Amino acid sequence: MKNILVIHTGGTIAMSEDRNTGAVKPNLENPLHETIMNIEGVQVDVEDFLNVPSPHITPSHMITLSKRINYCLNDEDYDGVVVTHGTDTLEETAYFLDLTVRSNKPIVVTGAMRSSNELGSDGPHNLISSIHTAMSDSALDKGVLVVLNDEIHTAKNVTKTHTSNIATFQSPQYGPIGIVTKRGVLFHHSPSHRDQYNIEEVDHQVLLIKVVAGMENSIFEALCSIKVDGIVIEALGQGNLPPETIEPLVKLIDKGIPVVLVSRCFNGIVQDIYGYDGGGKQLKDLGVIFTNGLNGQKARIKLMVALEQTHDPKKIQGFFQQ
Ligand code: ASP
């Protein structure tokens, strides 16, 4: 008999649509408590950890959740954990847990695109698929998984790709690593690597800036005058910037602020290819930290976690090569 803990945090999966106004809102009582879970071979415990829409989730919620899961999997008798979460920031919480929970037991994050009383509501199905995944021995050593719409994705690669479609969660470039069927949970790939950080708090201010054509120096100049511990830049193509941004960028690097580069393309990785003004080669020479395919919001999470361990840009560059 497996022991699985379901931890609710809120999101659409816990909301209902008001029949008069059409507004989708949180409930006082989580409607998932009514989901009938006739699953053989498992004891499911349920914890109402939070009941918030995921745009209200903060890094402070994430570290508290991570500590709770660490405790459940290492000091209590649970074989796996399922977290329900709003889909808007689900990938950020899932990746935070992937980096900070120290256990090889299954941790599955799920949500829903349709609230509990809408036609075709996907919450109960996603919850049950996630419990099946968390019960599966083949989910051991896979890192934190995201399960929705019968697909299993890694927290590292998954992203929300559609505002409303139930097939919104995709892993661009890599695809899902498994599927959930009526007969069982099947993995067809295994993640090759998982980063682990032992942190007690998350207390660094990291900003994410998206670059656009014709961007001038004003945003980067403004960043020089505010308190910020790290910056992630969603750059153009293979990792290039408009030339006007370089001067204030150098000031930020000279102040010792780690500047991490991702691409605004959702496939591929950033590299020091171009030798023109603002090109990747110049950025590399200036000490900008290159990443290995993470999207902007996840690179921000990773930099926040990394800054709890070191401020040394060389070590941080090492973390981002993995
Ligand atoms: N806005 C909602 C949230 O993230 C969307 C959802 O849960 O699907 O809380």
Side-chain angles (χ1 to χ4, degrees):
M1 175 75 79
K2 297 263 184 171
N3 286 328
I4 302 292
L5 179 65
V6 173
I7 302 180
H8 294 306
T9 69
T12 296
I13 195 166
M15 296 184 196
S16 316
E17 186 183 65
D18 184 306
R19 299 284 184 221
N20 297 318
T21 64
V24 175
K25 292 190 292 195
N27 294 290
L28 288 177
E29 169 84 12
N30 191 327
L32 287 172
H33 293 163
E34 315 240 298
T35 301
I36 297 156
M37 289 188 280
N38 273 337
I39 309 173
E40 226 175 273
V42 66
Q43 161 69 39
V44 178
D45 291 339
V46 176
E47 193 168 300
D48 288 308
F49 180 80
L50 286 171
N51 187 16
V52 295
S54 76
H56 297 196
I57 293 278
T58 64
S60 150
H61 292 128
M62 294 179 198
I63 186 77
T64 314
L65 179 62
S66 169
K67 285 182 181 173
R68 177 72 189 116
I69 298 174
N70 261 315
Y71 186 77
C72 293
L73 296 181
N74 294 307
D75 301 299
E76 291 182 337
D77 200 19
Y78 287 108
D79 300 300
V81 168
V82 172
V83 176
T84 68
H85 197 287
T87 60
D88 290 351
T89 62
L90 186 151
E91 65 193 86
E92 283 154 272
T93 298
Y95 189 49
F96 185 91
L97 298 176
D98 192 53
L99 294 173
T100 59
V101 176
R102 295 173 302 281
S103 170
N104 72 339
K105 293 180 184 172
I107 301 160
V108 180
V109 187
T110 192
M113 296 303 287
R114 299 182 187 137
S115 67
S116 60
N117 60 346
E118 285 176 61
L119 198 61
S121 163
D122 50 332
H125 183 84
N126 287 340
L127 176 60
I128 287 171
S129 303
S130 298
I131 293 170
H132 278 292
T133 307
M135 289 167 63
S136 165
D137 288 337
S138 50
L140 288 163
D141 283 315
K142 297 274 192 304
V144 172
L145 301 169
V146 171
V147 172
L148 284 98
N149 201 34
D150 293 340
E151 289 186 345
I152 307 172
H153 294 263
T154 62
K156 186 175 179 184
N157 293 325
V158 78
T159 192
K160 185 173 182 179
T161 64
H162 196 287
T163 56
S164 56
N165 192 309
I166 58 165
T168 182
F169 282 93
Q170 304 288 331
S171 298
Q173 187 155 258
Y174 304 104
I177 63 164
I179 56 170
V180 184
T181 72
K182 287 189 178 167
R183 303 280 172 264
V185 171
L186 301 170
F187 284 91
H188 45 75
H189 284 96
S190 277
S192 53
H193 176 82
R194 180 180 179 194
D195 294 342
Q196 294 274 267
Y197 299 83
N198 193 351
I199 62 164
E200 283 305 313
E201 55 179 359
V202 58
D203 199 22
H204 289 88
Q205 171 78 343
V206 176
L207 299 180
L208 170 60
I209 308 292
K210 186 171 193 134
V211 171
V212 290
M215 193 168 191
E216 293 174 356
N217 63 2
S218 50
I219 289 185
F220 288 98
E221 283 292 355
L223 291 178
C224 295
S225 58
I226 62 172
K227 183 187 159 348
V228 57
D229 302 307
I231 295 167
V232 176
I233 303 178
E234 227 177 87
L236 307 169
Q238 288 204 62
N240 309 304
L241 300 180
E244 288 73 15
T245 60
I246 299 302
E247 202 186 302
L249 194 70
V250 172
K251 283 193 219 163
L252 288 163
I253 294 171
D254 287 349
K255 280 172 78 178
I257 296 171
V259 175
V260 167
L261 202 71
V262 301
S263 176
R264 67 179 202 178
C265 299
F266 59 86
N267 282 305
I269 59 177
V270 286
Q271 288 181 323
D272 52 336
I273 303 296
Y274 287 99
Y276 52 74
D277 210 10
K281 274 205 175 298
Q282 184 188 23
L283 301 178
K284 189 87 172 190
D285 291 344
L286 290 173
V288 170
I289 296 163
F290 281 53
T291 56
N292 216 352
L294 287 176
N295 67 21
Q297 54 271 32
K298 285 192 213 171
R300 171 179 171 265
I301 293 287
K302 187 164 185 176
L303 184 52
M304 287 166 78
V305 169
L307 284 168
E308 294 300 329
Q309 298 215 321
T310 182
H311 284 254
D312 177 351
K314 283 216 173 67
K315 284 196 181 139
I316 297 176
Q317 174 65 83
F319 293 160
F320 276 100
Q321 250 145 17
Q322 291 159 354

